[in-house]
Amino acid sequence: MTLEFPISDGEADYVARRKQLRKQRRLRIFQRIWQLVFITGLTGGMLWVAMLPEWQLRSSNQIDVEGNKLLSKDTIRKSLPIQYPQSIFQIQPQAIASQLEASIPVSKVSVSRTIFPSKLTIQVQERLPVANSMRNGQQGFLDAEGIWMPAKVYPSNITKPNLVVLEPINRKLSQWSTLYRQVSQSQVKISQVDARDESNLILTTELGFVYFGTYKPSLFSTQLETLDRLRALPEKLKLSSFNYIDLSQPTNPVLEMNVPPKDKSSETKS
């Protein structure tokens, strides 16, 4: 005798749902395996393409340098943190730009990649020396922004600036960019800026030493105008007859005269 147990509609739906869930689970597993195989194959293919000679930097000849005037292209190329051969896809333009800005006298660097043919283009904005300056016994230059650079980073045949700056030792040279702009526009030739004493800026000019007191940009413009009006002094006085000109109060300039020593023989006779 065979016993039959009829399956209710609810139980049939449950069994059907179980089969559908197992089918969906197998489909998801298959999709993940296919995605993994695809990604692995794509990555491997990209690595293979990247290692092809057509996509590599094999020498510095594949690097173009633009915007340089003082620094040679070879100097800039040798400063690049690149090991040859290297895939063009491994190059990090921002990292290279930061490295160059930290190692050579440039204020701005932009790096761009060309995939085919593989090459780099380096665009630089150099720091131009405007004054000679010594730091820690080392010869160097200042640019218009007051950034100091050792002379050895420039070519040995570079034309050195005519202006000399004596910088303070224990403090930063403040307001240099403004001071340099005013000095460079002066009608009186200035060969040296002595900023070691914060309370007295001293310039060596074609008229001799000039004291300006504490540097104040607005006052300094007036002082330079006064100095320009004193350019007739050498026609009336010998430069050796006075020590310096004091323009700390430009409305009342003071000429510190050089008093010659008295002749002892003449004193004895008298």
Side-chain angles (χ1 to χ4, degrees):
M1 181 177 180
T2 302
L3 297 177
E4 295 183 358
F5 297 94
I7 300 177
S8 65
D9 292 340
E11 291 177 340
D13 291 341
Y14 174 75
V15 172
R17 286 198 300 272
R18 289 289 301 273
K19 290 181 178 180
Q20 183 66 22
L21 290 173
R22 285 196 296 268
K23 183 179 180 180
Q24 291 177 354
R25 190 178 301 114
R26 286 194 298 266
L27 181 60
R28 284 197 297 269
I29 293 174
F30 175 77
Q31 289 176 338
R32 290 174 182 173
I33 293 175
W34 168 248
Q35 290 174 351
L36 180 61
V37 171
F38 176 77
I39 293 174
T40 302
L42 180 62
T43 303
M46 292 179 63
L47 289 175
W48 177 77
V49 169
M51 296 307 295
L52 290 175
E54 291 79 5
W55 309 106
Q56 289 186 333
L57 294 178
R58 298 181 296 280
S59 72
S60 59
N61 293 330
Q62 294 171 265
I63 299 175
D64 293 337
V65 179
E66 301 175 354
N68 61 305
K69 297 178 180 179
L70 299 178
L71 303 174
S72 68
K73 292 184 178 181
D74 286 340
T75 297
I76 296 174
R77 286 167 177 158
K78 290 178 181 178
S79 302
L80 294 171
I82 297 177
Q83 297 291 332
Y84 302 101
Q86 185 168 345
S87 169
I88 190 68
F89 300 105
Q90 295 177 318
I91 298 296
Q92 299 180 4
Q94 187 56 49
I96 290 177
S98 299
Q99 175 74 16
L100 286 179
E101 290 173 1
S103 60
I104 60 176
V106 290
S107 59
K108 186 177 181 180
V109 178
S110 62
V111 181
S112 59
R113 295 181 294 184
T114 301
I115 304 300
F116 188 83
S118 296
K119 71 173 184 177
L120 283 185
T121 300
I122 311 293
Q123 181 75 33
V124 300
Q125 184 175 328
E126 297 173 318
R127 292 194 179 277
L128 303 179
V130 299
N132 301 282
S133 177
M134 294 279 291
R135 285 191 182 179
N136 299 321
Q138 186 178 6
Q139 178 62 45
F141 304 114
L142 286 175
D143 73 350
E145 297 177 359
I147 303 299
W148 186 86
M149 302 150 292
K152 63 182 180 182
V153 302
Y154 288 96
S156 58
N157 61 348
I158 185 177
T159 301
K160 295 182 179 180
N162 295 322
L163 183 65
V164 175
V165 176
L166 303 180
E167 296 186 80
I169 298 176
N170 299 322
R171 60 182 175 83
K172 183 180 179 181
L173 182 58
S174 61
Q175 305 185 79
W176 164 250
S177 58
T178 304
L179 173 59
Y180 169 69
R181 185 177 66 254
Q182 292 176 308
V183 167
S184 62
Q185 295 173 351
S186 171
Q187 298 299 315
V188 177
K189 184 178 178 181
I190 298 171
S191 58
Q192 179 174 283
V193 175
D194 186 347
R196 292 174 295 182
D197 185 354
E198 190 174 10
S199 64
N200 188 22
L201 176 68
I202 303 175
L203 303 186
T204 302
T205 75
E206 60 182 286
L207 302 181
F209 294 107
V210 183
Y211 291 5
F212 290 86
T214 302
Y215 172 69
K216 299 177 181 178
S218 57
L219 178 62
F220 189 64
S221 296
T222 304
Q223 291 170 318
L224 289 179
E225 292 173 359
T226 302
L227 182 63
D228 185 36
R229 291 195 292 269
L230 295 176
R231 296 178 72 177
L233 276 177
E235 299 176 4
K236 301 177 182 179
L237 296 172
K238 294 182 179 180
L239 290 179
S240 59
S241 64
F242 61 89
N243 291 325
Y244 61 85
I245 302 171
D246 189 339
L247 290 179
S248 55
Q249 297 181 11
T251 57
N252 185 30
V254 176
L255 193 65
E256 181 66 22
M257 302 303 297
N258 183 14
V259 180
K262 295 182 179 180
D263 189 349
K264 293 184 179 180
S265 59
S266 60
E267 289 181 357
T268 304
K269 291 181 182 179
S270 61

